[in-house]
Every structure is written in C-alpha cells, then in structure tokens.
Amino acid sequence: MKKILIILFFSVGLFAGEATRYQQAYEMEKQSTLFAIPLYESSLQTASSVNLKKAAVSRLFFLYKKHNKIIEAILLGSKFSHIINSKEKASLWKSLTEIYRPLSYGELTSAYSIAVKTNPENYSELLQHLHTLNQPKLFEFVYIILYKRKQFETLNLLFIQDHSLSKSPLYEGIVLLKLNPEKGKEFILSWGFEPDKDNPTKSDLLYLLGHYFRNLGDYDSSARYFRMSASFHWQERAKLEAARSLVLNGKFSEACQSFGFSPSPNDEASQLLYLICTKKDKDFLRQIHPSIVALGAKEGGEFFQKINQALEKWQ
C-alpha cells in the first residue's frame, strides 16, 4: 500500500508539472500567440498525459497556421495524424501550391511522402524522384522538409551525388557549415567572387561567410560579412543576421542603432529586436520572459539566451 501511495504521489506531481507548463502556454496566448508557440512546444516535449499531449498538438497546429509556419504545421500533422485530421491539413497544402507554383498538389504531396521518411540509408529514391521531375522549386521544398527534420547528412549525400540540384551556393553551403565549418568555407571560396557573378550569388556567398565566422565565435567578422551581403541583395535577411551577430557579441546598442526594426508577427527573433530597439516595451518583454527562456533552451538558442541575459540587467 505504501509503495502504491508513493507511485501515486510522484505521478500526481508529474502530471501537475505538465499541466502547469501547458497552462503557462495557454495563458501566454492572451499576451502573444507568437510567443505562446515555444511554450506549447516545450509542453509537448514533456507531456506524458494523452489528454495534455492532444491539447498541446491541437493548439500548436492552430498557432503554426496562424503565424505562417506552414512546414512546421505539416510535419506536426504528419507526426500526430491521429490528432490532426486530413481536412484540417488541406488548407496548408493549398497554401503550399500557391508558394511553390507551378508545382501541383500531387507533385508536392508525393515528394513530401518520400522526403518525410528519407534518411542517409535510403536517399536514392528521393534523388531519383527529383531527377525525374527536374523542378528547381520541388528541390527547394524537399530541402526545407529535410532541413526541418535535421537531415543534414542526407542533404549532403544528395549534393555529393548531384551538385546541380540548386543553382545557388546557399543550400549546399548551409549544410556543409552545419556538418563541417572548414569544408563549408572551402566550398564557399571555391565559388570565387569574380566581378561577373550576379548580385544574388554574391549576396549568398557573403551571407554564408557570415555564418562561418559566427560558428567560429568571431561575431565582428560575422556581422561585417552579413552587412556586405546586404549591399548586393536580400537586405532584410542579411540585416537580421547582422543584428543577431552583434547581439551575440553583446553589442545591443550597435545593433539597435545600425538597423531599423518593424513589427514581425511571424518571426520571434525579429519581433524581439523590434520590441527592444524600436518599441522599448519593458513591460511586455517581462510578460513574455518565459517564452524567451524556452526559445533559449532550444537547439541554436544562443541568441535568445543573450537577449534574456541583457533583459535581466535592463529590468
């Protein structure tokens, strides 16, 4: 009897903790649906209760859709297909066919069904499928699916077999930097910086160098290369990454003074920079503090950890 009571005690404590995490996410929705997302993600990771898991998945799916995180919603719906039905997922595929025109619904779904189960041991089927359709847009879609699944080695194997899958160095370069920064650098330099290269390619190469130096912890060089990238193309992308590198270097004032930030309803990093640099909303930042902590706990969350450290001093 004593043993049973001990088990019940710990079980009640466990479920209470899980319920608290879910409740925290639910309450955050009143302040910000965007910043409720990382709390629901954290709740889902720790949930052992079937009801709590179902509730977290349902809220996450809704919020992913609301904030245009379509690939995340698709992957979540596939993983929890017993919770998210086909009718709820249909609108997502409609959005994807608009984004990836001229690809059809059938072409996207067939590629997705292969990509979602692809790994380094069975990538040949996906490669053959990409070769058969020979659509650059399809590769971009497949790339994002594999990247979100952290299938970096699979992507690398695809590129080893066919470097022409993308005309831009960006896709292969990002993967190589993830797997081996020095090989990534060699790849970037192998493209060269000849004057006749088009501006988007120059921007991509400099952007990749910005990531390379960030991986080394050389944040000054990283911010410089991101700024150079912005001078050729993709200004908003490079501006955000330059600001990230400055923040990681503790240079909040320089980040705020160098760039202007507008409200960004679908991206947590951009929205935080807007709240800190432009709106200077200390009260709201205090309210979403649990979300910033949750973002910092995720893989690659160093930027949010630095934000949180600065806010603790600022407050």
Side-chain angles (χ1 to χ4, degrees):
M1 183 66 179
K2 184 177 181 182
K3 186 176 181 180
I4 293 173
L5 288 173
I6 291 172
I7 292 172
L8 285 172
F9 174 79
F10 282 109
S11 296
V12 170
L14 176 64
F15 292 135
E18 292 175 0
T20 299
R21 281 187 284 273
Y22 177 85
Q23 187 63 31
Q24 188 179 43
Y26 188 78
E27 290 297 322
M28 183 61 69
E29 282 198 59
K30 299 173 185 176
Q31 308 301 327
S32 168
T33 53
L34 176 64
F35 286 102
I37 289 174
L39 295 177
Y40 277 122
E41 289 173 338
S42 177
S43 173
L44 180 58
Q45 287 174 359
T46 57
S48 58
S49 161
V50 174
N51 288 336
L52 275 176
K53 185 173 289 187
K54 184 176 180 180
V57 168
S58 296
R59 294 312 301 158
L60 258 181
F61 186 79
F62 170 77
L63 294 179
Y64 281 155
K65 286 174 63 177
K66 178 181 175 67
H67 290 284
N68 207 33
K69 297 178 184 289
I70 300 175
I71 300 299
E72 287 86 347
I74 287 283
L75 289 169
L76 184 74
S78 295
K79 186 175 181 180
F80 296 98
S81 57
H82 60 292
I83 298 175
I84 306 299
N85 61 46
S86 299
K87 185 177 180 181
E88 290 178 304
K89 289 181 281 190
S91 62
L92 296 176
W93 288 105
K94 183 178 179 181
S95 298
L96 286 173
T97 55
E98 290 294 320
I99 294 170
Y100 289 100
R101 285 182 175 179
L103 295 173
S104 68
Y105 168 84
E107 288 170 329
L108 285 171
T109 53
S110 61
Y112 176 80
S113 67
I114 300 171
V116 80
K117 61 184 180 183
T118 299
N119 57 52
E121 284 70 48
N122 65 5
Y123 71 92
S124 57
E125 181 186 359
L126 178 58
L127 183 62
Q128 181 59 46
H129 188 78
L130 291 170
H131 282 162
T132 300
L133 272 72
N134 193 26
Q135 289 268 15
K137 281 280 188 180
L138 188 67
F139 171 72
E140 292 174 16
F141 172 67
V142 164
Y143 180 95
I144 293 173
I145 297 299
L146 292 175
Y147 194 89
K148 292 287 186 183
R149 293 181 56 228
K150 304 186 189 303
Q151 285 289 324
F152 308 124
E153 186 57 48
T154 302
L155 283 166
N156 186 42
L157 288 168
L158 289 173
F159 282 120
I160 288 172
Q161 293 297 319
D162 186 355
H163 292 285
S164 67
L165 285 168
S166 173
K167 294 181 180 179
S168 166
L170 182 67
Y171 297 96
E172 187 170 359
I174 287 290
V175 169
L176 286 171
L177 288 173
K178 281 277 186 184
L179 295 174
N180 187 318
E182 290 309 313
K183 284 187 178 180
K185 182 184 179 184
E186 290 174 14
F187 169 80
I188 297 164
L189 297 179
S190 72
W191 272 71
F193 288 86
E194 292 81 5
D196 62 341
K197 277 195 167 52
D198 61 81
N199 283 349
T201 299
K202 291 176 185 175
S203 178
D204 283 344
L205 290 167
L206 291 165
Y207 179 83
L208 287 169
L209 283 173
H211 277 288
Y212 168 76
F213 283 105
R214 182 189 289 170
N215 289 342
L216 294 183
D218 185 350
Y219 300 122
D220 283 334
S221 295
S222 174
R224 184 167 67 252
Y225 277 107
F226 283 130
R227 280 172 161 152
M228 291 167 65
S229 172
S231 67
F232 288 100
H233 209 62
W234 317 119
Q235 291 183 0
E236 288 302 311
R237 174 187 75 176
K239 177 184 79 173
L240 174 60
E241 295 305 329
R244 279 179 181 263
S245 291
L246 289 170
V247 166
L248 285 165
N249 208 18
K251 297 183 176 181
F252 279 83
S253 295
E254 186 176 343
C256 291
Q257 291 168 10
S258 299
F259 309 104
F261 298 100
S262 302
S264 182
N266 298 326
D267 181 78
E268 294 88 348
S270 298
Q271 182 66 3
L272 279 173
L273 288 168
Y274 164 72
L275 291 168
I276 293 168
C277 297
T278 305
K279 199 172 182 184
K280 299 179 173 60
D281 194 337
K282 291 184 181 181
D283 290 337
F284 186 73
L285 287 164
R286 275 192 287 269
Q287 292 169 3
I288 64 170
H289 176 256
S291 301
I292 303 172
V293 173
L295 288 164
K298 294 172 67 174
E299 183 180 345
E302 294 83 3
F303 167 79
F304 297 104
Q305 292 170 18
K306 203 74 176 181
I307 290 277
N308 189 42
Q309 292 167 11
L311 290 178
E312 287 175 352
K313 296 176 183 177
W314 188 22
Q315 294 171 7

